[in-house]
Amino acid sequence: MKNIYKIFFCVFLAWTLVGVLSKVPFLLMYGSLLNDAGAAERVAMMWHGLRLDIAIAGYLTLLPGLMLLVRLWYKGKGLRYVWNGYFIVTALLYSLAIISNLGLYGYWGFPLDSTPLMYLRTSPADAMASMTTWQLICAPVAVILLAAFIYYVFHKISKPESCDNRSVYRTPNSSLYTQRRFTCKVFFNSLILLILTALLILPIRGGVGTGTNHTGSVYFSTNIRLNHAAVNPAFSFIESVLHQEEIGTKYRFMSDKEATTLFHKMTHTALRPSATAKRYNVILISLESFSDSIMHIPGVTPCLNKLADEGLHFHNFYANSFRTDRALVAIHSALPAQPTMSVMDMPRKSTSLPSIASSLAQKGYSTTFYYGGDINYSNMRSYFVGTGFQHIVSDVDFPKKLHTGKWGVADGPVFDRMLADIKSDRSGKPFYRSIMTESSHEPFDVPNYKKIKSSPELNAFAYADECLGRFMNQLAALPCWRNTLVVIVPDHLGAHPANADNYQQWRFRVPLILSGGAIEDFKADAQESLDVIGSQIDIAATVLALLGIDHSDFTYSKDLLDPIAPHFAFFTFPDAIGITTDSGRIIYDNTSNKVAQQTGTDSETLVKQAQAFLQKLYDDLDKR
């Protein structure tokens, strides 16, 4: 029965090899797009792409593993037909994914996703009409030939009947002892095979960490073409189908003309004439789960409160959502959060967004993102690499002894790493460094810190606050302090207060604090703007304006210091939208189509504004 394990592993390795080798024709066909990539980068592409090749191999080995298990107990010929049929179908589908990716990438510029299904479903004639006669002939032939080759390989390496050794133990004259021995061996092998099949969940999900496999898990380069080459087309297609949402047909509240008119009144992308034109260094600190509420608990956030008092503290500021993945996109790309989906889970769309990092990189800034956890979590890697960050520092860049919590490395060592990088920077370039903290996220397992023993949650916030304060004090002692702008903002309200009501405005209220030595240059002029209403999507325009950099690509973002811009806060949660203005506040439930909460008299106008904003957002996303 040793053959049964050999077949299992051969099937897994063969499917992995199919994924790896599928990159070779891609490199040959689109080599001209990768002329600036050297041999080392191409090898790195194969290495990083292996993660998704292994994941697909895990998926495709699940059923063969179960069939081998059945084969231990069932000797009939029917299983052989099922086995062969399975490999014929999977070989065809995998070949179709590979050939489709090769054919479509040149037109679309992104890895295979569910888009072909959309076109075939809505206008199959038009989809076929866009193909030449030569393509209509060659594409099916290529799929069939590749599928035949893949099936031939699996037919040679995996014959389930070869694992059947029953005749050795069961003959007409076999003893009861021999039969019992056979039964015990079958039970043992069944258990081992069942465990091996169950363990396939590890390559499928990408290990035991908090992050699971996404298309963006293999993104490793600032060259987006190399990242696309690393993607397994079968995986990207499956992921796209599972996350598919009819974006273009959702949230149709009014005519496009009416929505466009209202939307234009809510946007302002012009650079104010008085904007500073100085290339400050920029540090953006996103605090996990902090909020306006947490700052009012005595003894928990003394450092943050001190920074708010000494710096520029925007009091009427709001998070755009209730989740980190939505918040990070709002903060970095000024994209409003969506009620029922996360654009970060859609690499083709998320990497098409503008970002602070991209804008600064174009002006000669070095850009680095810091996170103590798994950067593949929620497709963070693809988003940050694809939107302008030249370097990523995450849990894998720290020694194992510093992995002290469920989420990875605590805030202290991550702040220390960022400070060390600033000290050692000899490039002469202005820098943009962004950090996402994590210690104030449940399960609040901060290392050797017991300031507030009565509450693990508040103790974690106190730890994160102390790490922030220590970093800021050390940064202030460096020569670059005078020329550095520090932006501090939470991602969303988290664990405190418990069971926060989404249908209350305060649930989304967070501080925005501008600090650093650079604020001395505009502190006096900015004081009168601290009471304006804004949200995380306004950070991009505000920061870029302070640097004198055009922010017209950030359609939804408004400069908080520009008196001409319309100032309001828009936020979402499942399945509701909210808006806060000087005239009032509303929260509108899209499921019941009713206003769930309101302040002020003109709720109808506010509902219209919020609906128009959401409708135009989905129009934008649908086109990306």
Side-chain angles (χ1 to χ4, degrees):
M1 293 188 185
K2 293 180 180 179
N3 282 342
I4 200 166
Y5 305 123
K6 178 181 177 181
I7 292 173
F8 180 88
F9 288 112
C10 281
V11 168
F12 179 78
L13 293 174
W15 278 128
T16 302
L17 190 60
V18 169
V20 173
L21 294 180
S22 70
K23 295 169 177 55
V24 175
F26 186 94
L27 288 175
L28 294 174
M29 192 167 180
Y30 296 106
S32 60
L33 299 176
L34 300 169
N35 286 335
D36 56 340
E41 289 180 295
R42 296 178 187 230
V43 172
M45 178 274 294
M46 303 285 279
W47 171 253
H48 286 276
L50 186 61
R51 178 178 179 130
L52 297 187
D53 298 330
I54 291 175
I56 283 294
Y59 277 115
L60 295 177
T61 308
L62 280 172
L63 192 56
L66 295 176
M67 285 192 282
L68 289 172
L69 180 61
V70 172
R71 186 64 188 177
L72 289 173
W73 299 93
Y74 174 69
K75 194 177 180 181
K77 294 183 179 180
L79 186 61
R80 181 173 59 185
Y81 298 129
V82 175
W83 180 273
N84 291 337
Y86 172 78
F87 283 104
I88 290 173
V89 172
T90 50
L92 275 169
L93 293 176
Y94 210 148
S95 300
L96 183 60
I98 293 171
I99 301 301
S100 297
N101 188 56
L102 287 174
L104 295 172
Y105 186 83
Y107 296 102
W108 292 346
F110 56 85
L112 181 69
D113 65 1
S114 61
T115 304
L117 289 182
M118 180 187 71
Y119 287 122
L120 288 172
R121 184 175 66 252
T122 57
S123 53
D126 292 339
M128 294 299 178
S130 63
M131 298 178 67
T132 66
T133 303
W134 184 246
Q135 289 172 328
L136 286 171
I137 295 173
C138 290
V141 171
V143 170
I144 292 171
L145 289 177
L146 181 58
F149 176 74
I150 293 175
Y151 174 74
Y152 175 78
V153 171
F154 280 99
H155 182 70
K156 285 295 183 182
I157 67 173
S158 59
K159 295 181 179 180
E161 58 267 23
S162 66
C163 70
D164 182 57
N165 290 332
R166 291 190 177 202
S167 58
V168 175
Y169 298 103
R170 282 198 177 178
T171 65
N173 298 319
S174 61
S175 66
L176 180 62
Y177 169 78
T178 302
Q179 293 179 22
R180 287 177 176 174
R181 183 182 170 196
F182 164 78
T183 303
C184 290
K185 189 166 186 178
V186 171
F187 268 115
F188 176 78
N189 282 284
S190 298
L191 179 61
I192 297 299
L193 191 58
L194 185 62
I195 293 173
L196 288 174
T197 303
L199 287 175
L200 289 172
I201 190 65
L202 295 178
I204 288 172
R205 78 181 303 276
V208 296
T210 54
T212 57
N213 277 326
H214 298 282
T215 298
S217 300
V218 300
Y219 280 33
F220 71 101
S221 172
T222 54
N223 184 334
I224 194 64
R225 303 287 189 183
L226 275 175
N227 295 330
H228 289 170
V231 172
N232 183 291
F235 187 96
S236 61
F237 177 79
I238 293 172
E239 180 186 59
S240 178
V241 170
L242 293 178
H243 291 90
Q244 186 174 355
E245 185 168 348
E246 295 291 344
I247 296 175
T249 61
K250 287 185 70 69
Y251 302 119
R252 303 295 95 185
F253 301 107
M254 63 193 77
S255 70
D256 180 66
K257 181 179 180 180
E258 183 182 5
T260 301
T261 300
L262 288 170
F263 180 73
H264 283 166
K265 293 179 180 179
M266 301 172 72
T267 58
H268 182 77
T269 58
L271 186 65
R272 56 188 164 88
S274 60
T276 312
K278 187 174 180 180
R279 295 296 184 261
Y280 300 108
N281 302 313
V282 179
I283 297 176
L284 174 56
I285 301 174
S286 302
L287 298 174
E288 171 65 57
S289 299
F290 275 66
S291 66
D292 180 75
S293 301
I294 205 76
M295 295 178 67
H296 298 293
I297 304 175
V300 177
T301 60
C303 298
L304 186 62
N305 291 358
K306 182 173 183 288
L307 291 169
D309 292 339
E310 296 175 350
L312 297 173
H313 179 197
F314 292 85
H315 305 279
N316 293 320
F317 199 78
Y318 292 81
N320 284 103
S321 184
F322 67 107
R323 287 285 304 273
T324 301
D325 52 353
R326 274 86 154 176
L328 288 174
V329 177
I331 292 168
H332 289 268
S333 291
L335 186 82
Q338 308 87 57
T340 60
M341 70 179 197
S342 171
V343 74
M344 193 180 274
D345 285 331
M346 307 172 184
R348 179 165 69 90
K349 295 184 182 296
S350 68
T351 55
S352 73
L353 297 171
S355 74
I356 299 173
S358 178
S359 294
L360 296 185
Q362 292 173 22
K363 297 297 182 180
Y365 279 68
S366 63
T367 57
T368 308
F369 181 75
Y370 297 83
Y371 180 57
D374 183 354
I375 196 62
N376 291 308
Y377 181 74
S378 196
N379 248 328
M380 288 170 62
R381 178 187 293 279
S382 64
Y383 170 68
F384 286 117
V385 171
T387 55
F389 279 101
Q390 299 151 354
H391 307 286
I392 301 287
V393 176
S394 65
D395 58 348
V396 297
D397 299 298
F398 294 86
K400 286 293 183 182
K401 65 180 182 180
L402 293 180
H403 292 229
T404 55
K406 177 186 176 183
W407 289 94
V409 183
D411 293 346
V414 183
F415 274 118
D416 291 342
R417 168 61 186 269
M418 182 164 67
L419 188 73
D421 289 349
I422 294 172
K423 289 180 178 179
S424 62
D425 188 352
R426 300 290 184 269
S427 67
K429 295 181 178 181
F431 61 76
Y432 170 51
R433 302 181 187 273
S434 177
I435 181 174
M436 178 68 215
T437 69
E438 64 170 6
S439 293
S440 45
H441 193 292
E442 61 265 26
F444 312 108
D445 46 1
V446 295
N448 302 317
Y449 190 83
K450 302 293 182 183
K451 180 179 179 179
I452 304 178
K453 297 181 180 180
S454 60
S455 171
E457 294 89 347
L458 296 181
N459 186 66
F461 281 107
Y463 168 78
D465 179 75
E466 187 172 302
C467 293
L468 170 65
R470 185 173 69 250
F471 168 77
M472 292 295 289
N473 289 336
Q474 293 172 325
L475 181 68
L478 299 181
C480 66
W481 169 259
R482 181 62 184 85
N483 196 43
T484 299
L485 171 65
V486 182
V487 182
I488 305 171
V489 64
D491 58 351
H492 58 81
L493 181 147
H496 190 86
N499 303 315
D501 184 358
N502 285 337
Y503 289 90
Q504 297 297 325
Q505 295 277 336
W506 59 260
R507 192 253 187 267
F508 299 93
R509 194 162 179 170
V510 297
L512 172 65
I513 300 168
L514 302 186
S515 184
I519 65 169
E520 297 303 323
D521 293 342
F522 46 82
K523 191 173 184 179
D525 294 335
Q527 288 291 339
E528 61 186 34
S529 300
L530 297 181
D531 290 329
V532 300
I533 297 173
S535 69
Q536 290 165 336
I537 59 175
D538 299 324
I539 292 174
T542 304
V543 170
L544 293 176
L546 289 172
L547 305 179
I549 297 175
D550 176 65
H551 54 80
S552 58
D553 287 341
F554 298 83
T555 306
Y556 309 94
S557 192
K558 292 92 58 189
D559 180 2
L560 292 171
L561 305 182
D562 189 343
I564 300 176
H567 295 299
F568 63 90
F570 174 85
F571 54 87
T572 69
F573 59 93
D575 179 20
I577 51 178
I579 190 169
T580 298
T581 70
D582 289 327
S583 62
R585 306 188 294 265
I586 62 99
I587 293 178
Y588 183 83
D589 189 288
N590 291 315
T591 303
S592 62
N593 296 318
K594 294 180 179 179
V595 174
Q597 192 257 12
Q598 72 177 72
T599 302
T601 57
D602 198 5
S603 62
E604 184 177 346
T605 298
L606 293 177
V607 169
K608 279 287 188 180
Q609 289 178 329
Q611 289 176 333
F613 205 71
L614 183 64
Q615 183 170 319
K616 296 306 292 183
L617 167 63
Y618 271 68
D619 286 343
D620 179 12
L621 291 175
D622 187 47
K623 296 173 184 176
R624 291 185 181 274

